[in-house]
Amino acid sequence: MTTNSSSTSIEMPSSWLLHYFNAEPYDRAISALPCLQEAHLCLNADDIRKTWYTHKLKAIILLVEKHDTLLEDWVCRLMMALPEAPLFIISVKSYTLDEVKLLELGLQDIWSLEELTEALLPRIMHHGIIRKQVEYQTRHLAHYDALTGIANRTLFQDRLDHSLQHARREGHLVSLLILDLDRFAAVNEHYGYDVGDQLLKKFSRRLSEIIRRSDTVARLNGNNFAVLLEHVDNEQTINQVAEKLCKEFNDPYFIAGHEIFCSISIGIEVASRVAFDSSLLLGHAELALRQAKHDGRNDYRFFRANMSPPDMVRASLESALHHALEREELSLQYQPQIRVSNKQFIGTEVLLRWHHETLGNISPVVFIPVLEETGLINKVGEWVLASACRQHNEWIQNGALPCDAKLSVNLSPRQFRQKGLADRILQILDITGLKPQLLTLEITEGVLMDNLQQGINILGRLREIGVSIAIDDFGTGYSSLAYLKDLPIDYLKIDRVFVKDIVSDKNDAAIANSIIALAHNLGMEVIAEGVEDHNVLGILQAFGCDHYQGFYFSRPVDPEEIPAIALQILAD
């Protein structure tokens, strides 16, 4: 720790803070370094943050006599409260500090009083302030949310772990609040993602203004936020904070000329109830959040041990699905579609699969509704579409599939209602290289009947770019035959419920036959789902069904198996 004293003189920073634990080391330090008298003295550690911001200070000097766990804890707390502040330690006694350990905690420099001079101290502080600015900027990119500017999940987890360690040791009351913006997905759908992003920024700013500066506010993902309350007096205080938050967020946001109301739901757990275990604390708070939303939203709930098992399972699925894509737990399988008349391969339908690391394979019947309800379906659905289009185009380009083989992809209700859907699909086709004429999008009757005119407009736009449209599960939904003639549809898919028993059930056979005749009269082709044996296929062929898929020919398979299946059909 040497410095060239002959270099150009550097003055002390314009404003800085000095803190000490008792008077004796302060008197010795002032005697050795009179310039320390220029500092803003702060004798109460709890007032340091307030003093820092009030006087817009540049650095903090801490006078100490010894190194112990209390000092380490104090430094950690200060680094969390003021991550941008350069912190220096001056020891009034030589060789009493573990310099390496303290530097690892984030200090800029450590000196003993006997090493310092009034010429050296300003230079040390000047260099430390510059280093801290660079460190803070770099750290900010890694630990703070790019959109809102508040702590991200990584920094939140670090602060949570440290807070729980301190609370366990000192017996402090710590509570975790998980917040979720109610019906935020509807804001994105109705006003667009730019307005949604502005709402998240305004929400984060409002939340940070309400919560104490000593507490942590973080964005965990999407519209999911966390508040870590430390040194709370009692549980009544937690109730008061939650009530205040719910009340404050009933006020509207004004964004881009729109008045937007977006309340919040809150789930709460207290650290001592889970033995200061961070995983349990997060899990319980998320379950409580789920309960608050289930009970009608715009309210808060503490975790209760008697929460119903279905609610706990559903909440756990929600949490796991948030990470399923990034953990590469989601995958795609493809089911071949075959022409009934000549047994030729005409394409595939892509199907989403989820293999959880501990639960194993989870049925789409279980997780697709959760994706839909949480709004994750938009992100996951776009990944499915882009991945399948890329794979299908690769097969076509490599000659693994016939050049006219088509790819069928399901669109969920929430996906279908997205603004700019046709343009986004066109972008994906352009990026992946797949021709629009080779893509078929499958939607259900219910999606169309929710808003018929909007549905007609969207389907018309998709038709314009060359994409085909199939009505999935036809006959199980609204079956509004009066409107069917007005929709730009290419295929009707007969649901398996009408297919599996057509050999033994005359009613199912009559329904299937009628659907096929109706589709052909309207210029559409028919695909039968769930064909599991040759007898069923024989009746469908007699009815004039165009195409089929089902276990009789092939179960859904992994992508690497599709080329061999297509090649075998061509060989036969």
Side-chain angles (χ1 to χ4, degrees):
M1 297 183 183
T2 60
T3 303
N4 185 356
S5 59
S6 63
S7 301
T8 303
S9 175
I10 297 178
E11 297 181 354
M12 290 290 286
S14 58
S15 55
W16 47 286
L17 181 146
L18 181 68
H19 175 74
Y20 58 88
F21 295 105
N22 55 65
E24 196 274 334
Y26 174 71
D27 294 336
R28 288 180 57 186
I30 292 299
S31 176
L33 298 170
C35 65
L36 293 178
Q37 297 178 83
E38 302 170 10
H40 288 274
L41 281 179
C42 191
L43 304 184
N44 187 345
D46 293 333
D47 293 335
I48 289 179
R49 184 183 175 97
K50 179 180 178 181
T51 305
W52 173 268
Y53 286 113
T54 299
H55 298 284
K56 299 180 180 179
L57 304 180
K58 305 295 184 183
I60 299 174
I61 292 179
L62 176 64
L63 291 176
V64 302
E65 289 184 284
K66 61 181 180 178
H67 183 166
D68 55 20
T69 55
L70 290 178
L71 174 62
E72 292 178 11
D73 182 67
W74 191 92
V75 170
C76 285
R77 288 177 56 197
L78 185 59
M79 289 291 94
M80 288 194 297
L82 292 170
E84 74 275 27
L87 177 60
F88 303 84
I89 281 185
I90 298 178
S91 172
V92 296
K93 296 180 180 179
S94 301
Y95 311 113
T96 59
L97 304 181
D98 185 340
E99 295 183 356
V100 173
K101 190 163 188 177
L102 289 171
L103 288 171
E104 288 176 346
L105 294 177
L107 270 73
Q108 289 304 303
D109 225 331
I110 305 167
W111 289 76
S112 65
L113 186 59
E114 65 183 27
E115 293 177 292
L116 290 173
T117 66
E118 289 216 320
L120 182 58
L121 181 58
R123 183 175 298 278
I124 292 171
M125 294 183 67
H126 178 71
H127 291 172
I129 290 170
I130 294 175
R131 284 199 308 273
K132 186 63 177 182
Q133 290 173 346
V134 175
E135 290 174 8
Y136 181 69
Q137 291 170 0
T138 303
R139 185 171 180 270
H140 195 277
L141 293 174
H143 292 93
Y144 289 84
D145 181 58
L147 177 65
T148 63
I150 63 176
N152 62 16
R153 193 178 192 100
T154 301
L155 180 56
F156 167 76
Q157 188 65 55
D158 287 344
R159 292 187 177 181
L160 176 62
D161 291 342
H162 177 266
S163 177
L164 293 178
Q165 291 175 7
H166 184 262
R168 183 189 293 111
R169 186 170 63 244
E170 303 296 330
H172 295 149
L173 185 60
V174 171
S175 180
L176 174 63
L177 284 65
I178 301 293
L179 294 74
D180 196 83
L181 278 72
D182 297 329
R183 300 183 178 88
F184 176 74
V187 175
N188 280 334
E189 291 172 6
H190 292 127
Y191 301 106
Y193 288 100
D194 288 342
V195 171
D197 287 348
Q198 290 300 315
L199 176 58
L200 291 175
K201 290 180 181 179
K202 287 180 177 288
F203 171 82
S204 301
R205 192 176 304 119
R206 194 184 291 185
L207 180 61
S208 299
E209 290 171 352
I210 297 171
I211 299 301
R212 299 176 304 179
R213 283 184 169 180
S214 58
D215 297 322
T216 297
V217 174
R219 183 186 181 199
L220 301 183
N221 52 61
N223 61 312
N224 199 233
F225 293 78
V227 173
L228 183 62
L229 299 178
E230 302 184 73
H231 298 278
V232 183
D233 295 332
N234 49 54
E235 290 193 17
Q236 182 58 36
T237 301
I238 302 171
N239 276 287
Q240 292 170 354
V241 171
E243 288 176 1
K244 182 178 181 180
L245 288 170
C246 288
K247 180 180 178 181
E248 291 288 340
F249 287 105
N250 279 327
D251 294 337
Y253 301 87
F254 296 93
I255 303 172
H258 304 290
E259 183 183 33
I260 301 173
F261 289 87
C262 192
S263 60
I264 62 170
S265 299
I266 306 174
I268 308 171
E269 180 58 299
V270 179
S272 56
R273 295 180 180 176
V274 295
F276 304 96
D277 183 287
S278 64
S279 296
L280 282 177
L281 185 64
L282 280 163
H284 284 190
E286 289 175 350
L287 285 169
L289 170 64
R290 172 73 183 172
Q291 189 65 47
K293 297 182 83 68
H294 180 269
D295 291 345
R297 299 182 172 88
N298 191 23
D299 207 348
Y300 66 92
R301 293 288 183 272
F302 280 82
F303 174 79
R304 302 191 315 273
N306 63 346
M307 282 183 170
S308 66
D311 283 341
M312 297 180 73
V313 170
R314 180 63 175 261
S316 298
L317 282 178
E318 273 191 34
S319 178
L321 276 170
H322 274 285
H323 306 289
L325 193 56
E326 64 192 53
R327 291 172 180 167
E328 298 184 347
E329 294 178 349
L330 298 180
S331 62
L332 301 180
Q333 287 191 319
Y334 298 81
Q335 186 167 41
Q337 295 176 330
I338 307 300
R339 183 174 289 113
V340 174
S341 61
N342 59 12
K343 313 282 190 301
Q344 291 301 300
F345 182 98
I346 64 161
T348 63
E349 178 183 0
V350 62
L351 301 166
L352 180 62
R353 298 292 184 254
W354 180 21
H355 183 83
H356 189 274
E357 59 182 354
T358 56
L359 300 177
N361 293 323
I362 299 177
S363 170
V365 175
V366 174
F367 72 82
I368 293 294
V370 180
L371 286 175
E372 182 75 13
E373 183 177 327
T374 59
L376 289 171
I377 193 68
N378 288 339
K379 179 180 179 181
V380 173
E382 187 166 306
W383 172 80
V384 170
L385 180 61
S387 300
C389 287
R390 188 176 296 107
Q391 176 67 84
H392 196 80
N393 186 59
E394 182 180 314
W395 283 330
I396 297 290
Q397 296 301 316
N398 293 339
L401 298 185
C403 60
D404 59 349
K406 304 196 73 169
L407 168 70
S408 293
V409 182
N410 289 277
L411 284 184
S412 76
R414 191 182 287 269
Q415 285 178 280
F416 189 72
R417 292 193 298 267
Q418 287 184 92
K419 286 189 175 181
L421 173 65
D423 291 334
R424 183 56 189 144
I425 290 174
L426 193 58
Q427 289 177 348
I428 291 175
L429 290 170
D430 185 56
I431 292 170
T432 60
L434 185 67
K435 296 178 180 179
Q437 294 76 17
L438 299 181
L439 176 64
T440 298
L441 296 176
E442 299 186 9
I443 55 176
T444 62
E445 296 170 88
V447 174
L448 291 173
M449 293 304 106
D450 283 345
N451 189 328
L452 182 63
Q453 188 56 53
Q454 182 187 40
I456 291 174
N457 294 338
I458 294 174
L459 294 184
R461 179 75 178 97
L462 292 171
R463 262 286 191 84
E464 287 178 7
I465 65 178
V467 174
S468 299
I469 304 297
I471 300 298
D472 196 15
D473 302 335
F474 186 76
T476 63
Y478 293 82
S479 299
S480 183
L481 303 181
Y483 296 118
L484 195 59
K485 60 185 177 61
D486 297 322
L487 297 171
I489 299 169
D490 302 281
Y491 302 94
L492 289 186
K493 297 192 73 173
I494 308 178
D495 187 77
R496 67 188 68 246
V497 72
F498 300 121
V499 172
K500 62 185 180 68
D501 294 325
I502 60 173
V503 174
S504 58
D505 191 316
K506 293 181 179 180
N507 292 328
D508 282 349
I511 292 173
N513 192 19
S514 297
I515 292 174
I516 293 170
L518 172 67
H520 288 168
N521 287 333
L522 293 175
M524 305 173 192
E525 295 184 30
V526 179
I527 303 174
E529 296 183 289
V531 178
E532 298 186 1
D533 61 59
H534 71 280
N535 293 323
V536 170
L537 180 59
I539 292 178
L540 288 170
Q541 187 169 15
F543 289 164
C545 183
D546 301 288
H547 317 291
Y548 79 95
Q549 62 188 85
F551 288 2
Y552 174 63
F553 179 79
S554 173
R555 293 174 177 269
V557 298
D558 293 333
E560 55 268 21
E561 298 182 48
I562 288 294
I565 292 174
L567 182 62
Q568 181 62 42
I569 293 175
L570 289 173
D572 293 343

